[in-house]
mmCIF file of all heavy atoms in Angstrom:
data_model
loop_
_atom_site.group_PDB
_atom_site.id
_atom_site.type_symbol
_atom_site.label_atom_id
_atom_site.label_comp_id
_atom_site.label_asym_id
_atom_site.label_seq_id
_atom_site.Cartn_x
_atom_site.Cartn_y
_atom_site.Cartn_z
ATOM 1 N N SER A 1 0.829 -1.202 0.000
ATOM 2 C CA SER A 1 0.000 0.000 0.000
ATOM 3 C C SER A 1 0.865 1.254 0.000
ATOM 4 O O SER A 1 0.601 2.236 -0.715
ATOM 5 C CB SER A 1 -0.930 0.019 1.215
ATOM 6 O OG SER A 1 -1.822 -1.074 1.154
ATOM 7 N N PHE A 2 1.908 1.209 0.808
ATOM 8 C CA PHE A 2 2.813 2.364 0.873
ATOM 9 C C PHE A 2 3.459 2.603 -0.485
ATOM 10 O O PHE A 2 3.538 3.732 -0.968
ATOM 11 C CB PHE A 2 3.893 2.112 1.931
ATOM 12 C CG PHE A 2 4.911 3.231 2.001
ATOM 13 C CD1 PHE A 2 4.607 4.414 2.667
ATOM 14 C CD2 PHE A 2 6.157 3.106 1.389
ATOM 15 C CE1 PHE A 2 5.534 5.440 2.728
ATOM 16 C CE2 PHE A 2 7.065 4.140 1.454
ATOM 17 C CZ PHE A 2 6.761 5.309 2.126
ATOM 18 N N LYS A 3 3.890 1.508 -1.126
ATOM 19 C CA LYS A 3 4.550 1.634 -2.426
ATOM 20 C C LYS A 3 3.578 2.199 -3.459
ATOM 21 O O LYS A 3 3.924 3.105 -4.235
ATOM 22 C CB LYS A 3 5.057 0.260 -2.872
ATOM 23 C CG LYS A 3 5.781 0.290 -4.221
ATOM 24 C CD LYS A 3 6.293 -1.105 -4.567
ATOM 25 C CE LYS A 3 7.025 -1.092 -5.914
ATOM 26 N NZ LYS A 3 7.512 -2.439 -6.268
ATOM 27 N N ASN A 4 2.350 1.668 -3.438
ATOM 28 C CA ASN A 4 1.356 2.142 -4.405
ATOM 29 C C ASN A 4 1.013 3.613 -4.192
ATOM 30 O O ASN A 4 0.889 4.384 -5.143
ATOM 31 C CB ASN A 4 0.076 1.299 -4.309
ATOM 32 C CG ASN A 4 0.269 -0.095 -4.909
ATOM 33 O OD1 ASN A 4 1.198 -0.317 -5.674
ATOM 34 N ND2 ASN A 4 -0.616 -1.013 -4.549
ATOM 35 N N ASN A 5 0.872 4.011 -2.913
ATOM 36 C CA ASN A 5 0.551 5.414 -2.618
ATOM 37 C C ASN A 5 1.683 6.341 -3.019
ATOM 38 O O ASN A 5 1.473 7.458 -3.482
ATOM 39 C CB ASN A 5 0.244 5.589 -1.126
ATOM 40 C CG ASN A 5 -1.116 5.013 -0.757
ATOM 41 O OD1 ASN A 5 -1.976 4.896 -1.614
ATOM 42 N ND2 ASN A 5 -1.291 4.660 0.509
ATOM 43 N N THR A 6 2.920 5.855 -2.819
ATOM 44 C CA THR A 6 4.083 6.668 -3.208
ATOM 45 C C THR A 6 4.122 6.859 -4.715
ATOM 46 O O THR A 6 4.345 7.964 -5.224
ATOM 47 C CB THR A 6 5.384 5.991 -2.740
ATOM 48 O OG1 THR A 6 5.327 5.820 -1.331
ATOM 49 C CG2 THR A 6 6.589 6.845 -3.107
ATOM 50 N N ILE A 7 3.884 5.774 -5.435
ATOM 51 C CA ILE A 7 3.881 5.853 -6.900
ATOM 52 C C ILE A 7 2.782 6.799 -7.384
ATOM 53 O O ILE A 7 2.987 7.626 -8.273
ATOM 54 C CB ILE A 7 3.689 4.441 -7.518
ATOM 55 C CG1 ILE A 7 4.934 3.588 -7.258
ATOM 56 C CG2 ILE A 7 3.433 4.536 -9.018
ATOM 57 C CD1 ILE A 7 4.762 2.130 -7.641
ATOM 58 N N LEU A 8 1.587 6.691 -6.745
ATOM 59 C CA LEU A 8 0.476 7.557 -7.107
ATOM 60 C C LEU A 8 0.825 9.024 -6.860
ATOM 61 O O LEU A 8 0.545 9.897 -7.687
ATOM 62 C CB LEU A 8 -0.775 7.171 -6.322
ATOM 63 C CG LEU A 8 -2.018 8.046 -6.567
ATOM 64 C CD1 LEU A 8 -2.427 7.977 -8.042
ATOM 65 C CD2 LEU A 8 -3.153 7.613 -5.665
ATOM 66 N N SER A 9 1.460 9.303 -5.721
ATOM 67 C CA SER A 9 1.820 10.686 -5.385
ATOM 68 C C SER A 9 2.799 11.247 -6.405
ATOM 69 O O SER A 9 2.680 12.393 -6.850
ATOM 70 C CB SER A 9 2.439 10.744 -3.980
ATOM 71 O OG SER A 9 1.499 10.325 -3.013
ATOM 72 N N ILE A 10 3.786 10.430 -6.778
ATOM 73 C CA ILE A 10 4.782 10.869 -7.774
ATOM 74 C C ILE A 10 4.116 11.117 -9.117
ATOM 75 O O ILE A 10 4.377 12.107 -9.801
ATOM 76 C CB ILE A 10 5.912 9.823 -7.912
ATOM 77 C CG1 ILE A 10 6.716 9.757 -6.606
ATOM 78 C CG2 ILE A 10 6.820 10.164 -9.085
ATOM 79 C CD1 ILE A 10 7.724 8.625 -6.570
ATOM 80 N N PHE A 11 3.199 10.192 -9.474
ATOM 81 C CA PHE A 11 2.490 10.340 -10.738
ATOM 82 C C PHE A 11 1.679 11.643 -10.780
ATOM 83 O O PHE A 11 1.715 12.388 -11.748
ATOM 84 C CB PHE A 11 1.551 9.143 -10.952
ATOM 85 C CG PHE A 11 0.638 9.299 -12.142
ATOM 86 C CD1 PHE A 11 1.112 9.104 -13.436
ATOM 87 C CD2 PHE A 11 -0.697 9.655 -11.973
ATOM 88 C CE1 PHE A 11 0.269 9.258 -14.520
ATOM 89 C CE2 PHE A 11 -1.532 9.816 -13.056
ATOM 90 C CZ PHE A 11 -1.050 9.612 -14.343
ATOM 91 N N LEU A 12 0.968 11.918 -9.669
ATOM 92 C CA LEU A 12 0.161 13.133 -9.608
ATOM 93 C C LEU A 12 1.025 14.379 -9.670
ATOM 94 O O LEU A 12 0.671 15.378 -10.302
ATOM 95 C CB LEU A 12 -0.681 13.137 -8.330
ATOM 96 C CG LEU A 12 -1.820 12.116 -8.291
ATOM 97 C CD1 LEU A 12 -2.480 12.122 -6.921
ATOM 98 C CD2 LEU A 12 -2.854 12.418 -9.371
ATOM 99 N N LEU A 13 2.190 14.338 -8.999
ATOM 100 C CA LEU A 13 3.097 15.485 -9.016
ATOM 101 C C LEU A 13 3.573 15.764 -10.429
ATOM 102 O O LEU A 13 3.537 16.904 -10.903
ATOM 103 C CB LEU A 13 4.296 15.222 -8.094
ATOM 104 C CG LEU A 13 5.400 16.297 -8.109
ATOM 105 C CD1 LEU A 13 4.831 17.634 -7.638
ATOM 106 C CD2 LEU A 13 6.567 15.858 -7.225
ATOM 107 N N PHE A 14 4.014 14.699 -11.134
ATOM 108 C CA PHE A 14 4.520 14.918 -12.487
ATOM 109 C C PHE A 14 3.394 15.283 -13.450
ATOM 110 O O PHE A 14 3.614 16.022 -14.405
ATOM 111 C CB PHE A 14 5.258 13.659 -12.990
ATOM 112 C CG PHE A 14 6.694 13.627 -12.543
ATOM 113 C CD1 PHE A 14 7.051 12.995 -11.363
ATOM 114 C CD2 PHE A 14 7.683 14.265 -13.276
ATOM 115 C CE1 PHE A 14 8.373 12.986 -10.935
ATOM 116 C CE2 PHE A 14 9.007 14.250 -12.853
ATOM 117 C CZ PHE A 14 9.361 13.611 -11.673
ATOM 118 N N SER A 15 2.188 14.770 -13.167
ATOM 119 C CA SER A 15 1.049 15.160 -13.995
ATOM 120 C C SER A 15 0.783 16.651 -13.851
ATOM 121 O O SER A 15 0.519 17.358 -14.820
ATOM 122 C CB SER A 15 -0.204 14.376 -13.592
ATOM 123 O OG SER A 15 -0.025 13.011 -13.871
ATOM 124 N N PHE A 16 0.877 17.139 -12.601
ATOM 125 C CA PHE A 16 0.656 18.558 -12.351
ATOM 126 C C PHE A 16 1.722 19.400 -13.046
ATOM 127 O O PHE A 16 1.436 20.376 -13.722
ATOM 128 C CB PHE A 16 0.664 18.817 -10.844
ATOM 129 C CG PHE A 16 0.584 20.283 -10.493
ATOM 130 C CD1 PHE A 16 -0.620 20.956 -10.575
ATOM 131 C CD2 PHE A 16 1.719 20.981 -10.085
ATOM 132 C CE1 PHE A 16 -0.709 22.294 -10.257
ATOM 133 C CE2 PHE A 16 1.626 22.327 -9.784
ATOM 134 C CZ PHE A 16 0.419 22.979 -9.856
ATOM 135 N N LEU A 17 2.968 18.966 -12.898
ATOM 136 C CA LEU A 17 4.056 19.703 -13.538
ATOM 137 C C LEU A 17 3.929 19.648 -15.044
ATOM 138 O O LEU A 17 4.145 20.633 -15.745
ATOM 139 C CB LEU A 17 5.407 19.119 -13.091
ATOM 140 C CG LEU A 17 5.776 19.348 -11.618
ATOM 141 C CD1 LEU A 17 7.059 18.589 -11.291
ATOM 142 C CD2 LEU A 17 5.917 20.819 -11.304
ATOM 143 N N GLY A 18 3.558 18.472 -15.542
ATOM 144 C CA GLY A 18 3.392 18.320 -16.977
ATOM 145 C C GLY A 18 2.314 19.228 -17.522
ATOM 146 O O GLY A 18 2.446 19.819 -18.583
ATOM 147 N N THR A 19 1.221 19.366 -16.767
ATOM 148 C CA THR A 19 0.138 20.247 -17.195
ATOM 149 C C THR A 19 0.615 21.679 -17.294
ATOM 150 O O THR A 19 0.312 22.391 -18.243
ATOM 151 C CB THR A 19 -1.040 20.144 -16.203
ATOM 152 O OG1 THR A 19 -1.530 18.809 -16.208
ATOM 153 C CG2 THR A 19 -2.157 21.089 -16.596
ATOM 154 N N ASN A 20 1.414 22.096 -16.307
ATOM 155 C CA ASN A 20 1.933 23.466 -16.340
ATOM 156 C C ASN A 20 2.842 23.683 -17.539
ATOM 157 O O ASN A 20 2.812 24.718 -18.182
ATOM 158 C CB ASN A 20 2.697 23.771 -15.053
ATOM 159 C CG ASN A 20 1.744 24.105 -13.912
ATOM 160 O OD1 ASN A 20 0.561 24.292 -14.141
ATOM 161 N ND2 ASN A 20 2.260 24.152 -12.696
ATOM 162 N N VAL A 21 3.684 22.690 -17.839
ATOM 163 C CA VAL A 21 4.592 22.805 -18.975
ATOM 164 C C VAL A 21 3.801 22.892 -20.270
ATOM 165 O O VAL A 21 4.063 23.727 -21.133
ATOM 166 C CB VAL A 21 5.567 21.602 -19.007
ATOM 167 C CG1 VAL A 21 6.338 21.600 -20.313
ATOM 168 C CG2 VAL A 21 6.536 21.669 -17.835
ATOM 169 N N GLU A 22 2.760 22.031 -20.388
ATOM 170 C CA GLU A 22 1.961 22.055 -21.596
ATOM 171 C C GLU A 22 1.214 23.374 -21.728
ATOM 172 O O GLU A 22 1.076 23.917 -22.815
ATOM 173 C CB GLU A 22 0.979 20.885 -21.593
ATOM 174 C CG GLU A 22 1.667 19.541 -21.806
ATOM 175 C CD GLU A 22 0.662 18.408 -21.874
ATOM 176 O OE1 GLU A 22 -0.092 18.370 -22.836
ATOM 177 O OE2 GLU A 22 0.661 17.580 -20.957
ATOM 178 N N ALA A 23 0.726 23.891 -20.589
ATOM 179 C CA ALA A 23 0.041 25.178 -20.621
ATOM 180 C C ALA A 23 0.990 26.277 -21.084
ATOM 181 O O ALA A 23 0.611 27.168 -21.834
ATOM 182 C CB ALA A 23 -0.533 25.504 -19.242
ATOM 183 N N GLN A 24 2.254 26.176 -20.612
ATOM 184 C CA GLN A 24 3.252 27.152 -21.030
ATOM 185 C C GLN A 24 3.466 27.070 -22.532
ATOM 186 O O GLN A 24 3.529 28.086 -23.225
ATOM 187 C CB GLN A 24 4.579 26.885 -20.297
ATOM 188 C CG GLN A 24 5.715 27.818 -20.685
ATOM 189 C CD GLN A 24 5.500 29.226 -20.214
ATOM 190 O OE1 GLN A 24 4.840 29.438 -19.213
ATOM 191 N NE2 GLN A 24 6.030 30.205 -20.923
ATOM 192 N N ASN A 25 3.555 25.848 -23.065
ATOM 193 C CA ASN A 25 3.717 25.688 -24.505
ATOM 194 C C ASN A 25 2.517 26.259 -25.255
ATOM 195 O O ASN A 25 2.665 26.895 -26.278
ATOM 196 C CB ASN A 25 3.896 24.193 -24.851
ATOM 197 C CG ASN A 25 5.235 23.648 -24.383
ATOM 198 O OD1 ASN A 25 6.165 24.414 -24.168
ATOM 199 N ND2 ASN A 25 5.328 22.351 -24.208
ATOM 200 N N ASN A 26 1.316 26.017 -24.727
ATOM 201 C CA ASN A 26 0.117 26.538 -25.366
ATOM 202 C C ASN A 26 0.108 28.059 -25.355
ATOM 203 O O ASN A 26 -0.330 28.694 -26.295
ATOM 204 C CB ASN A 26 -1.136 26.002 -24.673
ATOM 205 C CG ASN A 26 -1.406 24.553 -25.035
ATOM 206 O OD1 ASN A 26 -1.025 24.102 -26.106
ATOM 207 N ND2 ASN A 26 -2.049 23.829 -24.137
ATOM 208 N N LYS A 27 0.589 28.635 -24.244
ATOM 209 C CA LYS A 27 0.638 30.098 -24.140
ATOM 210 C C LYS A 27 1.544 30.679 -25.221
ATOM 211 O O LYS A 27 1.265 31.731 -25.790
ATOM 212 C CB LYS A 27 1.143 30.500 -22.748
ATOM 213 C CG LYS A 27 1.172 32.010 -22.513
ATOM 214 C CD LYS A 27 2.034 32.378 -21.342
ATOM 215 C CE LYS A 27 3.480 32.092 -21.649
ATOM 216 N NZ LYS A 27 4.411 32.705 -20.675
ATOM 217 N N ASP A 28 2.622 29.977 -25.510
ATOM 218 C CA ASP A 28 3.556 30.453 -26.523
ATOM 219 C C ASP A 28 3.052 30.203 -27.939
ATOM 220 O O ASP A 28 3.604 30.730 -28.901
ATOM 221 C CB ASP A 28 4.918 29.780 -26.333
ATOM 222 C CG ASP A 28 5.596 30.225 -25.041
ATOM 223 O OD1 ASP A 28 5.234 31.302 -24.533
ATOM 224 O OD2 ASP A 28 6.465 29.487 -24.531
ATOM 225 N N ASN A 29 2.024 29.380 -28.065
ATOM 226 C CA ASN A 29 1.421 29.085 -29.364
ATOM 227 C C ASN A 29 -0.097 29.264 -29.240
ATOM 228 O O ASN A 29 -0.852 28.289 -29.203
ATOM 229 C CB ASN A 29 1.752 27.656 -29.791
ATOM 230 C CG ASN A 29 3.238 27.436 -29.970
ATOM 231 O OD1 ASN A 29 3.814 27.860 -30.956
ATOM 232 N ND2 ASN A 29 3.856 26.793 -29.003
ATOM 233 N N PRO A 30 -0.543 30.498 -29.133
ATOM 234 C CA PRO A 30 -1.954 30.756 -28.851
ATOM 235 C C PRO A 30 -2.867 30.301 -29.982
ATOM 236 O O PRO A 30 -2.462 30.216 -31.148
ATOM 237 C CB PRO A 30 -2.012 32.272 -28.683
ATOM 238 C CG PRO A 30 -0.846 32.779 -29.472
ATOM 239 C CD PRO A 30 0.229 31.741 -29.305
ATOM 240 N N LEU A 31 -4.100 30.019 -29.603
ATOM 241 C CA LEU A 31 -5.112 29.725 -30.604
ATOM 242 C C LEU A 31 -5.529 31.035 -31.272
ATOM 243 O O LEU A 31 -5.852 32.017 -30.592
ATOM 244 C CB LEU A 31 -6.342 29.085 -29.955
ATOM 245 C CG LEU A 31 -6.191 27.662 -29.421
ATOM 246 C CD1 LEU A 31 -7.476 27.235 -28.724
ATOM 247 C CD2 LEU A 31 -5.848 26.697 -30.536
#
């Protein structure tokens, strides 16, 4: 359970960071 929760936390963190990076890319290439 600890291992799974740790993996989930890491996944969520990188998902959050990834979203910010993608948003930054979108900002530089506006619709």
Side-chain angles (χ1 to χ4, degrees):
S1 297
F2 177 79
K3 181 178 180 181
N4 287 342
N5 286 336
T6 302
I7 291 171
L8 178 61
S9 297
I10 293 172
F11 172 77
L12 290 174
L13 175 62
F14 275 92
S15 295
F16 174 77
L17 291 174
T19 298
N20 280 349
V21 170
E22 289 183 68
Q24 178 69 28
N25 290 339
N26 285 333
K27 183 197 68 167
D28 293 339
N29 298 284
L31 290 176

